[in-house]
Amino acid sequence: MIFEVEAPAYDEVRMNMTHRQALEVALRSEQKAHEFFQSAIRTLASAEVKKIFEELCEEEVVHQRLVEAELAKLPLEAPGERYDFGDDPVAQ
């Protein structure tokens, strides 16, 4: 279930990502994990398991704050700084 809980979507990570792009992917992943644990908590019957999931949920908030702090240190990207392209294919 890693792709459903915290890992970025399969096509979200690309070669040549900027530092900002990588941190934005990380932040979305932490938010996705938080949402997962929040929704799971509502369905749990066991108090012990619920407590564990609440702790995990709180940890995701801490992770989000850490990533946001790193993002805040970075300058905003200029449009030309995004590396959403690759080299053209060449003959072998």
Side-chain angles (χ1 to χ4, degrees):
M1 287 187 54
I2 190 166
F3 286 106
E4 287 81 23
V5 178
E6 188 167 17
Y10 179 76
D11 61 347
E12 206 171 3
V13 177
R14 298 173 313 283
M15 193 170 95
N16 296 328
M17 291 176 73
T18 65
H19 192 175
R20 177 170 289 282
Q21 288 172 324
L23 285 171
E24 288 170 348
V25 168
L27 182 59
R28 285 191 296 275
S29 296
E30 297 299 342
Q31 291 166 338
K32 184 168 85 168
H34 181 265
E35 291 170 13
F36 170 81
F37 291 122
Q38 282 281 51
S39 64
I41 287 169
R42 291 189 285 271
T43 65
L44 297 171
S46 168
E48 291 176 21
V49 175
K50 189 178 246 187
K51 185 175 190 294
I52 292 169
F53 272 57
E54 287 169 347
E55 290 171 4
L56 291 169
C57 195
E58 290 171 12
E59 286 180 15
E60 297 306 331
V61 172
V62 171
H63 299 162
Q64 289 175 43
R65 300 301 167 252
L66 292 170
V67 175
E68 289 169 343
E70 292 302 312
L71 275 167
K73 295 176 187 177
L74 296 177
L76 294 177
E77 289 179 347
E81 291 181 284
R82 298 186 75 83
Y83 301 113
D84 291 337
F85 55 87
D87 293 332
D88 291 331
V90 291
Q92 297 292 320

